[in-house]
Amino acid sequence: VQLQASGGGSVQPGGSLRLSCQASGFIIDIKDMGWYRQAPGKERELVASITVRGGTTYPDSVRGRFSISRDNAQNTLYLQMNSLRPEDTAVYYCNAKVYDPSYSAYVITWGQGTLVTVSS
């Protein structure tokens, strides 16, 4: 299974972006999915996560501004980002817990990053 993230770009403070993450390949089952970000010189951090049934988690830094959602039928994950701030500038990564029949277990799969730049 591969994850392909898209939707990054440059935006002014206060602007919005919507990220997408499309899963493809031989998909048997996907459980929790999430978005992480990594700013230059900083560790990767959780931005939002969502369970199969739609339960969501956000850190205080983005709660109320970001919204995660998923389309299970299309195996797609979204992140709507509003009221963007310069400190939101980072490379954003999606991940998913995917069933791998090779291991008869769920494994964490990462997509490639998509750069979000918030600057005036």
Side-chain angles (χ1 to χ4, degrees), residues 7 9-19 37 62 65-66 79-90 92 116-119:
S10 295
V11 64
Q12 292 186 340
S16 298
L17 282 174
R18 189 191 196 205
L19 306 183
R37 67 186 180 188
V62 307
R65 300 188 298 122
F66 291 10
L79 183 69
Q80 178 66 44
M81 304 185 294
N82 299 325
S83 302
L84 283 161
R85 305 168 179 169
E87 55 263 38
D88 294 319
T89 295
Y92 284 69
V116 172
T117 303
V118 185
S119 175

Short mmCIF file of all heavy atoms in Angstrom, two decimals, residues 7 9-19 37 62 65-66 79-90 92 116-119:
data_model
loop_
_atom_site.label_atom_id
_atom_site.label_comp_id
_atom_site.label_asym_id
_atom_site.label_seq_id
_atom_site.Cartn_x
_atom_site.Cartn_y
_atom_site.Cartn_z
N GLY A 7 -1.56 18.77 -2.05
CA GLY A 7 -2.30 19.92 -1.58
C GLY A 7 -1.48 20.99 -0.89
O GLY A 7 -2.01 22.04 -0.53
N GLY A 9 1.41 23.97 -0.37
CA GLY A 9 1.69 25.16 -1.15
C GLY A 9 2.03 26.32 -0.25
O GLY A 9 2.26 26.16 0.95
N SER A 10 2.04 27.50 -0.84
CA SER A 10 2.33 28.72 -0.10
C SER A 10 1.06 29.53 0.10
O SER A 10 0.26 29.67 -0.82
CB SER A 10 3.36 29.56 -0.86
OG SER A 10 4.59 28.90 -0.94
N VAL A 11 0.90 30.05 1.30
CA VAL A 11 -0.31 30.81 1.63
C VAL A 11 0.07 31.90 2.62
O VAL A 11 1.03 31.77 3.39
CB VAL A 11 -1.39 29.86 2.20
CG1 VAL A 11 -0.93 29.25 3.51
CG2 VAL A 11 -2.72 30.57 2.35
N GLN A 12 -0.70 32.97 2.61
CA GLN A 12 -0.47 34.05 3.56
C GLN A 12 -1.09 33.71 4.90
O GLN A 12 -2.02 32.90 4.99
CB GLN A 12 -1.08 35.35 3.02
CG GLN A 12 -0.36 35.89 1.79
CD GLN A 12 -0.89 37.24 1.37
OE1 GLN A 12 -2.00 37.64 1.75
NE2 GLN A 12 -0.09 37.96 0.60
N PRO A 13 -0.59 34.33 5.97
CA PRO A 13 -1.20 34.11 7.29
C PRO A 13 -2.70 34.40 7.25
O PRO A 13 -3.14 35.37 6.63
CB PRO A 13 -0.46 35.10 8.17
CG PRO A 13 0.87 35.26 7.53
CD PRO A 13 0.59 35.20 6.05
N GLY A 14 -3.45 33.53 7.90
CA GLY A 14 -4.90 33.64 7.88
C GLY A 14 -5.56 32.87 6.76
O GLY A 14 -6.79 32.72 6.75
N GLY A 15 -4.77 32.36 5.84
CA GLY A 15 -5.31 31.63 4.71
C GLY A 15 -5.63 30.18 5.03
O GLY A 15 -5.49 29.74 6.18
N SER A 16 -6.07 29.47 4.01
CA SER A 16 -6.48 28.08 4.18
C SER A 16 -5.85 27.21 3.11
O SER A 16 -5.55 27.66 2.00
CB SER A 16 -8.01 27.96 4.07
OG SER A 16 -8.66 28.70 5.08
N LEU A 17 -5.67 25.95 3.47
CA LEU A 17 -5.24 24.92 2.53
C LEU A 17 -5.95 23.62 2.89
O LEU A 17 -6.29 23.41 4.06
CB LEU A 17 -3.73 24.70 2.59
CG LEU A 17 -2.81 25.70 1.89
CD1 LEU A 17 -1.35 25.35 2.20
CD2 LEU A 17 -3.04 25.72 0.40
N ARG A 18 -6.11 22.76 1.90
CA ARG A 18 -6.67 21.44 2.14
C ARG A 18 -5.70 20.41 1.60
O ARG A 18 -5.40 20.39 0.40
CB ARG A 18 -8.03 21.29 1.46
CG ARG A 18 -8.75 20.01 1.87
CD ARG A 18 -9.94 19.74 0.99
NE ARG A 18 -10.84 18.76 1.57
CZ ARG A 18 -11.67 17.99 0.85
NH1 ARG A 18 -11.71 18.12 -0.47
NH2 ARG A 18 -12.47 17.13 1.44
N LEU A 19 -5.22 19.55 2.49
CA LEU A 19 -4.33 18.47 2.10
C LEU A 19 -5.14 17.20 1.87
O LEU A 19 -6.15 16.97 2.53
CB LEU A 19 -3.28 18.22 3.18
CG LEU A 19 -2.44 19.41 3.63
CD1 LEU A 19 -1.40 18.94 4.66
CD2 LEU A 19 -1.78 20.09 2.47
N ARG A 37 3.58 16.65 11.04
CA ARG A 37 4.36 17.67 10.36
C ARG A 37 5.74 17.77 11.00
O ARG A 37 5.93 17.44 12.16
CB ARG A 37 3.66 19.03 10.42
CG ARG A 37 3.56 19.65 11.80
CD ARG A 37 2.71 20.92 11.75
NE ARG A 37 2.59 21.54 13.06
CZ ARG A 37 1.78 22.57 13.31
NH1 ARG A 37 1.04 23.10 12.34
NH2 ARG A 37 1.74 23.09 14.52
N VAL A 62 -3.39 23.22 17.09
CA VAL A 62 -4.19 23.31 15.86
C VAL A 62 -5.69 23.14 16.11
O VAL A 62 -6.49 23.35 15.20
CB VAL A 62 -3.74 22.27 14.81
CG1 VAL A 62 -2.24 22.38 14.56
CG2 VAL A 62 -4.11 20.86 15.23
N ARG A 65 -8.69 25.06 14.43
CA ARG A 65 -8.26 25.61 13.14
C ARG A 65 -8.16 24.53 12.06
O ARG A 65 -8.43 24.79 10.89
CB ARG A 65 -6.90 26.30 13.28
CG ARG A 65 -6.88 27.45 14.27
CD ARG A 65 -5.56 28.20 14.21
NE ARG A 65 -4.42 27.37 14.57
CZ ARG A 65 -3.37 27.14 13.77
NH1 ARG A 65 -3.32 27.67 12.56
NH2 ARG A 65 -2.36 26.37 14.19
N PHE A 66 -7.76 23.34 12.46
CA PHE A 66 -7.58 22.23 11.53
C PHE A 66 -8.70 21.22 11.73
O PHE A 66 -9.19 21.03 12.85
CB PHE A 66 -6.24 21.53 11.75
CG PHE A 66 -5.03 22.33 11.36
CD1 PHE A 66 -5.11 23.67 11.03
CD2 PHE A 66 -3.79 21.71 11.33
CE1 PHE A 66 -3.98 24.40 10.67
CE2 PHE A 66 -2.65 22.42 10.97
CZ PHE A 66 -2.76 23.77 10.65
N LEU A 79 -7.06 16.91 5.30
CA LEU A 79 -6.78 17.84 6.39
C LEU A 79 -7.12 19.25 5.91
O LEU A 79 -6.45 19.78 5.04
CB LEU A 79 -5.32 17.79 6.84
CG LEU A 79 -4.98 18.69 8.03
CD1 LEU A 79 -5.66 18.15 9.30
CD2 LEU A 79 -3.47 18.77 8.25
N GLN A 80 -8.19 19.80 6.47
CA GLN A 80 -8.56 21.18 6.17
C GLN A 80 -7.88 22.07 7.19
O GLN A 80 -8.07 21.91 8.39
CB GLN A 80 -10.08 21.35 6.26
CG GLN A 80 -10.56 22.77 6.02
CD GLN A 80 -10.31 23.23 4.61
OE1 GLN A 80 -10.53 22.50 3.64
NE2 GLN A 80 -9.83 24.47 4.46
N MET A 81 -7.07 23.00 6.69
CA MET A 81 -6.32 23.88 7.56
C MET A 81 -6.78 25.32 7.33
O MET A 81 -6.66 25.84 6.22
CB MET A 81 -4.82 23.76 7.26
CG MET A 81 -4.29 22.34 7.38
SD MET A 81 -2.50 22.24 7.18
CE MET A 81 -2.34 22.73 5.46
N ASN A 82 -7.32 25.91 8.37
CA ASN A 82 -7.80 27.30 8.30
C ASN A 82 -6.99 28.17 9.26
O ASN A 82 -6.30 27.67 10.15
CB ASN A 82 -9.28 27.36 8.67
CG ASN A 82 -10.15 26.56 7.73
OD1 ASN A 82 -9.89 26.47 6.53
ND2 ASN A 82 -11.21 25.96 8.27
N SER A 83 -7.12 29.47 9.08
CA SER A 83 -6.43 30.43 9.95
C SER A 83 -4.95 30.06 10.11
O SER A 83 -4.42 30.03 11.23
CB SER A 83 -7.11 30.49 11.32
OG SER A 83 -8.47 30.86 11.18
N LEU A 84 -4.31 29.80 9.01
CA LEU A 84 -2.92 29.35 9.05
C LEU A 84 -2.00 30.44 9.60
O LEU A 84 -2.22 31.64 9.37
CB LEU A 84 -2.47 28.90 7.67
CG LEU A 84 -2.98 27.52 7.26
CD1 LEU A 84 -2.90 27.31 5.77
CD2 LEU A 84 -2.21 26.44 8.00
N ARG A 85 -0.99 29.99 10.31
CA ARG A 85 -0.01 30.87 10.95
C ARG A 85 1.38 30.53 10.43
O ARG A 85 1.63 29.41 9.98
CB ARG A 85 -0.05 30.66 12.46
CG ARG A 85 -1.42 30.85 13.09
CD ARG A 85 -1.43 30.34 14.52
NE ARG A 85 -2.72 30.52 15.18
CZ ARG A 85 -3.05 29.98 16.35
NH1 ARG A 85 -2.16 29.25 17.00
NH2 ARG A 85 -4.24 30.20 16.86
N PRO A 86 2.31 31.46 10.53
CA PRO A 86 3.68 31.17 10.09
C PRO A 86 4.26 29.93 10.79
O PRO A 86 5.02 29.18 10.17
CB PRO A 86 4.44 32.45 10.47
CG PRO A 86 3.41 33.52 10.36
CD PRO A 86 2.14 32.89 10.86
N GLU A 87 3.89 29.73 12.03
CA GLU A 87 4.41 28.56 12.77
C GLU A 87 3.83 27.24 12.28
O GLU A 87 4.27 26.17 12.72
CB GLU A 87 4.18 28.71 14.28
CG GLU A 87 2.75 28.97 14.67
CD GLU A 87 2.45 30.45 14.88
OE1 GLU A 87 2.98 31.29 14.10
OE2 GLU A 87 1.68 30.77 15.81
N ASP A 88 2.87 27.28 11.38
CA ASP A 88 2.35 26.05 10.77
C ASP A 88 3.22 25.61 9.59
O ASP A 88 2.99 24.54 9.02
CB ASP A 88 0.92 26.26 10.26
CG ASP A 88 -0.07 26.51 11.39
OD1 ASP A 88 0.04 25.83 12.43
OD2 ASP A 88 -0.94 27.39 11.23
N THR A 89 4.19 26.43 9.22
CA THR A 89 5.08 26.07 8.12
C THR A 89 5.85 24.80 8.45
O THR A 89 6.50 24.71 9.49
CB THR A 89 6.07 27.22 7.85
OG1 THR A 89 5.34 28.36 7.38
CG2 THR A 89 7.09 26.81 6.80
N ALA A 90 5.74 23.82 7.57
CA ALA A 90 6.38 22.52 7.80
C ALA A 90 6.12 21.62 6.60
O ALA A 90 5.31 21.95 5.73
CB ALA A 90 5.82 21.86 9.06
N TYR A 92 4.31 18.32 5.73
CA TYR A 92 3.21 17.55 6.30
C TYR A 92 3.21 16.14 5.71
O TYR A 92 3.29 15.97 4.49
CB TYR A 92 1.88 18.25 6.03
CG TYR A 92 1.66 19.45 6.91
CD1 TYR A 92 2.43 20.61 6.77
CD2 TYR A 92 0.71 19.43 7.93
CE1 TYR A 92 2.25 21.70 7.60
CE2 TYR A 92 0.52 20.52 8.76
CZ TYR A 92 1.29 21.65 8.59
OH TYR A 92 1.11 22.73 9.42
N VAL A 116 4.08 22.88 3.28
CA VAL A 116 3.17 23.99 3.53
C VAL A 116 3.99 25.17 4.04
O VAL A 116 4.70 25.04 5.04
CB VAL A 116 2.09 23.61 4.56
CG1 VAL A 116 1.27 24.83 4.95
CG2 VAL A 116 1.19 22.51 4.01
N THR A 117 3.88 26.30 3.36
CA THR A 117 4.61 27.49 3.75
C THR A 117 3.61 28.61 4.00
O THR A 117 2.80 28.95 3.13
CB THR A 117 5.60 27.92 2.65
OG1 THR A 117 6.50 26.85 2.38
CG2 THR A 117 6.38 29.15 3.09
N VAL A 118 3.67 29.17 5.20
CA VAL A 118 2.78 30.27 5.57
C VAL A 118 3.64 31.50 5.80
O VAL A 118 4.41 31.57 6.75
CB VAL A 118 1.97 29.94 6.83
CG1 VAL A 118 0.96 31.06 7.12
CG2 VAL A 118 1.26 28.60 6.69
N SER A 119 3.49 32.46 4.92
CA SER A 119 4.35 33.64 4.98
C SER A 119 3.68 34.79 4.27
O SER A 119 2.97 34.61 3.28
CB SER A 119 5.69 33.33 4.32
OG SER A 119 6.50 34.48 4.25
#
